[in-house]
Amino acid sequence: MSWPALYAQLVGANRHSTSLGKIWLSVLFIFRVMVLVVAAESVWGDEQSDFTCNTLQPGCENVCYDQFFPVSHIRLWSLQLVFVSTPTLLVSMYVAYRNHCDRRRLLQGQEEELETLKTRRLPIVGALWWTYFCSLVFKMLFEGSFMYVLYVVYDGFEMPRLVQCDQWPCPNLVDCFISRPTEKTIFTVFMATASSICMVLNLAELAYLVAKALNR
Amino acid sequence: MNWGSLEELLSGVNKYSTAFGRAWLSMVFIFRVMVFVVAAQRVWGDESKDFVCNTEQPGCTNVCYDHFFPISHIRLWALQLIFVTCPSLMVTGHVKYREMKDLKYAKQHKGKHMYAHPEKKRGGLWWTYLLSLIFKAGFDAGFLYVLYYVYEGYDMPRLSKCSVFPCPNTVDCYISRPTEKKIFTLFMVVSSAVCIFMCICEMIYLIFKRIEKFTKKVQHRSYSSLRVDPTASNQNITNNKVKKTLSKGKPSPDLFKPTSEKPGDSPFRRSSGPNASLPVRPPMNSLISELNPHKLDPRETKNPPNMRILQQFTSLSLSFSLQALNSSL
């Protein structure tokens, strides 16, 4: 299982999305997953090896690193992207269930109708509407909570150059220097912006669905 | 998701591009993405490990590295390549939207089509294409400026002096492989500049073609109350008319003479296929009467021979770069 495999799963579910949903998927995979894989991972690649503290005390660096980086940004973003993509699978599960029921009904019927079942695009009404609505709500919840967790754990989206640590076994207040803090800040801000754009797209899609339902 | 998947996503855009657009895409994937992946990334691979300062003060090297490299060239180029290739997806999105509208229209109006050729750059799609070119050139130029601003030029010095806390005094720091980095920086800057130039040429070409079409329309305009399909006002018909007059040896005298035939009475029909009842504007009947009465060969008009060669070259170069990317990743 890897990012391309997840992409393949989501593209299948994309057929039943609205246009905003399709734009959301492109933004997710191009501006978030791809940037994470080709750029951000190499920025955070040496985060532990280049985390230097002004001490020779063995263990002090390890302990200070663990204090300031309980969960690395990269892992938080990977989890966020997995959680945020999963509600779309709810929709494809529901569509598969509908197709299964319709296939049973049509089993006595013509061959070509069974073929169109696989490629048809269901209109977003009734139970599918509710499934889609719930998936959007969950997406927004996951995005919001991961952004909040990142903000709380790192006291904002900025990465300082210097942090001071006095955890045992450090003998006193020790200066520790983070590697590439400016580049990390730039990428953190970029990923937070992309998250916000995705949240706005989800909100717009939610409003569009509700407006369509009210019109009907 | 990696460069190979992005390339696969974008090779579909080729169908809707002009010749300049296809050349631009090949240029981006061969001279920029491929060089980036197989060469530039290795040059910058040890940039942090081999950045050495003349001090034993812990943290001084980290801080000086951060001071001189707020964002690495490699990351800037990765972001630049992602941003520059994405506007083409706007065009693909618009064509898919047109095809979807056409399908809905065909279902409601029993076989008639809203767009004869959804991928033809007429109407709204022309503006989307122009906008995508403006964005491409804009992003490229913007990133070039950011690189120039952050690194105060495209130079990479061998030695930099640093006096940021906690360095105790002014400390000499040495960058790894500065000459090789300078060469690759210049290479990427020049290829960006060439891509910007190609975008500008394509914009001029599009605008020029539009003006040319507009002046031709003004010359033999006649009015109709029927809905005009922007994709059927055809270069195809004009091309075929030119071929016909060349084969005859002299231009036909009544080529542009308007006729008073009835709207539904057009000799132009596709003889087979799903678009058999293609709607045609009545004013074209004057040109249509000069055409081969049997059928218009859509392949000939969509793909004249030189375009087919360019298409084949582009698809070959794309598949070659895709293989190289897959083997290196």
Side-chain angles (χ1 to χ4, degrees):
Chain A
M1 213 40 205
S2 57
W3 294 117
L6 181 69
Y7 179 71
Q9 293 278 341
L10 291 176
V11 153
N14 212 18
R15 251 185 312 130
H16 308 281
S17 309
T18 60
S19 311
L20 282 169
K22 290 172 180 150
I23 296 172
W24 174 87
L25 193 74
S26 311
V27 168
L28 184 81
F29 273 93
I30 296 173
F31 292 100
R32 294 174 73 183
V33 176
M34 202 164 153
V35 167
L36 182 79
V37 168
V38 310
E41 272 181 359
S42 47
V43 176
W44 269 266
D46 57 4
E47 60 176 324
Q48 190 168 15
S49 51
D50 276 357
F51 181 79
T52 324
C53 290
N54 189 5
T55 180
L56 284 174
Q57 170 64 44
C60 178
E61 259 184 31
N62 281 23
V63 157
C64 292
Y65 176 83
D66 187 60
Q67 186 194 18
F68 289 109
F69 297 95
V71 182
S72 170
H73 289 67
I74 292 287
R75 260 67 72 184
L76 261 181
W77 286 328
S78 305
L79 280 175
Q80 181 179 10
L81 290 168
V82 168
F83 272 82
V84 149
S85 322
T86 324
T88 315
L89 298 177
L90 262 182
V91 175
S92 47
M93 269 166 39
Y94 174 76
V95 168
Y97 166 73
R98 271 278 290 272
N99 285 343
H100 177 73
C101 292
D102 293 345
R103 196 177 295 138
R104 273 236 213 108
R105 259 194 309 115
L106 285 171
L107 213 50
Q108 306 90 3
Q110 304 85 2
E111 277 256 339
E112 53 269 22
E113 288 207 28
L114 287 170
E115 281 305 307
T116 55
L117 256 184
K118 287 181 206 160
T119 50
R120 71 174 173 177
R121 188 172 174 242
L122 291 168
I124 305 177
V125 288
L128 182 61
W129 187 94
W130 282 105
T131 314
Y132 204 83
F133 184 85
C134 289
S135 77
L136 284 174
V137 167
F138 276 119
K139 272 186 217 175
M140 280 173 51
L141 263 172
F142 288 139
E143 290 269 26
S145 13
F146 273 95
M147 286 227 303
Y148 177 72
V149 162
L150 189 73
Y151 190 87
V152 160
V153 166
Y154 290 100
D155 282 329
F157 296 129
E158 203 190 325
M159 187 73 80
R161 261 185 193 172
L162 161 72
V163 290
Q164 297 188 307
C165 166
D166 60 357
Q167 291 283 303
W168 185 88
C170 302
N172 46 35
L173 194 70
V174 149
D175 289 339
C176 291
F177 301 92
I178 294 169
S179 77
R180 314 180 202 243
T182 313
E183 205 166 359
K184 286 178 178 169
T185 308
I186 290 172
F187 274 96
T188 308
V189 167
F190 181 90
M191 295 294 269
T193 312
S195 271
S196 321
I197 291 172
C198 284
M199 273 183 78
V200 165
L201 282 171
N202 281 336
L203 207 64
E205 206 179 348
L206 212 62
Y208 169 73
L209 272 186
V210 167
K212 250 182 96 170
L214 289 174
N215 262 350
R216 268 187 281 118
Chain B
M1 278 313 273
N2 52 18
W3 296 111
S5 353
L6 185 70
E7 189 178 354
E8 276 169 30
L9 208 64
L10 288 169
S11 52
V13 175
N14 242 356
K15 278 185 288 192
Y16 317 126
S17 306
T18 59
F20 283 106
R22 289 169 189 161
W24 178 91
L25 200 68
S26 304
M27 171 88 193
V28 165
F29 276 101
I30 296 174
F31 289 99
R32 294 173 72 180
V33 176
M34 203 166 136
V35 165
F36 173 82
V37 169
V38 308
Q41 272 187 325
R42 308 231 165 121
V43 175
W44 269 266
D46 57 3
E47 60 173 333
S48 178
K49 280 199 310 291
D50 281 352
F51 180 81
V52 163
C53 289
N54 187 4
T55 181
E56 289 277 343
Q57 170 64 43
C60 178
T61 312
N62 278 22
V63 156
C64 289
Y65 177 83
D66 186 61
H67 178 74
F68 290 116
F69 297 97
I71 179 166
S72 170
H73 290 68
I74 286 287
R75 256 70 69 179
L76 256 182
W77 288 329
L79 284 176
Q80 181 178 6
L81 288 168
I82 292 172
F83 274 84
V84 148
T85 43
C86 286
S88 312
L89 296 175
M90 272 169 37
V91 175
T92 321
H94 193 148
V95 172
K96 293 245 177 314
Y97 171 72
R98 263 192 184 183
E99 283 171 356
M100 209 177 67
K101 252 176 44 173
D102 190 46
L103 212 65
K104 272 194 196 156
Y105 185 88
K107 271 190 194 152
Q108 284 172 2
H109 293 78
K110 293 184 183 56
K112 285 196 197 156
H113 282 268
M114 204 175 182
Y115 296 109
H117 302 281
E119 72 282 0
K120 279 274 176 204
K121 287 184 279 298
R122 311 264 191 270
L125 188 62
W126 186 88
W127 287 103
T128 308
Y129 197 81
L130 189 69
L131 210 64
S132 77
L133 288 175
I134 293 171
F135 276 129
K136 279 187 221 176
F139 284 139
D140 249 334
F143 274 94
L144 274 185
Y145 174 72
V146 165
L147 188 72
Y148 187 87
Y149 181 76
V150 166
Y151 289 101
E152 284 156 18
Y154 299 124
D155 193 25
M156 186 73 75
R158 270 184 190 167
L159 162 71
S160 329
K161 291 190 190 279
C162 170
S163 55
V164 188
F165 172 82
C167 301
N169 46 34
T170 301
V171 147
D172 289 340
C173 293
Y174 300 91
I175 295 170
S176 79
R177 312 180 203 238
T179 312
E180 203 168 359
K181 285 181 178 167
K182 205 192 315 194
I183 290 171
F184 274 97
T185 306
L186 286 174
F187 181 89
M188 296 294 267
V189 164
V190 165
S191 46
S192 295
V194 168
C195 286
I196 294 174
F197 176 71
M198 283 169 75
C199 280
I200 294 173
C201 288
E202 201 176 353
M203 279 192 258
I204 293 172
Y205 168 74
L206 267 187
I207 294 171
F208 175 73
K209 264 191 86 173
R210 179 83 150 191
I211 293 173
E212 198 189 12
K213 206 171 80 102
F214 180 72
T215 48
K216 270 195 191 147
K217 219 191 264 186
V218 161
Q219 275 176 9
H220 51 89
R221 177 194 280 259
S222 52
Y223 300 97
S224 163
S225 60
L226 290 180
R227 184 192 163 270
V228 171
D229 172 6
T231 65
S233 66
N234 274 310
Q235 190 66 26
N236 302 340
I237 296 173
T238 318
N239 279 348
N240 231 35
K241 169 200 72 186
V242 169
K243 277 191 200 132
K244 186 85 178 173
T245 54
L246 284 175
S247 67
K248 273 188 184 169
K250 56 174 179 178
S252 168
D254 55 355
L255 204 52
F256 298 108
K257 193 177 73 181
T259 63
S260 55
E261 290 179 31
K262 285 185 239 162
D265 183 26
S266 168
F268 176 56
R269 284 274 184 274
R270 285 194 189 177
S271 54
S272 60
N275 297 337
S277 59
L278 193 73
V280 177
R281 277 190 305 164
M284 285 297 171
N285 282 345
S286 53
L287 296 169
I288 290 160
S289 57
E290 292 299 321
L291 295 178
N292 185 332
H294 302 299
K295 65 174 182 258
L296 200 63
D297 182 359
R299 285 171 305 158
E300 236 351 87
T301 53
K302 269 189 206 172
N303 273 334
N306 48 350
M307 284 292 266
R308 280 207 294 277
I309 292 166
L310 186 61
Q311 245 176 348
Q312 279 165 13
F313 169 73
T314 318
S315 52
L316 269 173
S317 57
L318 278 175
S319 57
F320 168 72
S321 61
L322 188 63
Q323 277 171 28
L325 279 170
N326 280 336
S327 58
S328 66
L329 289 168

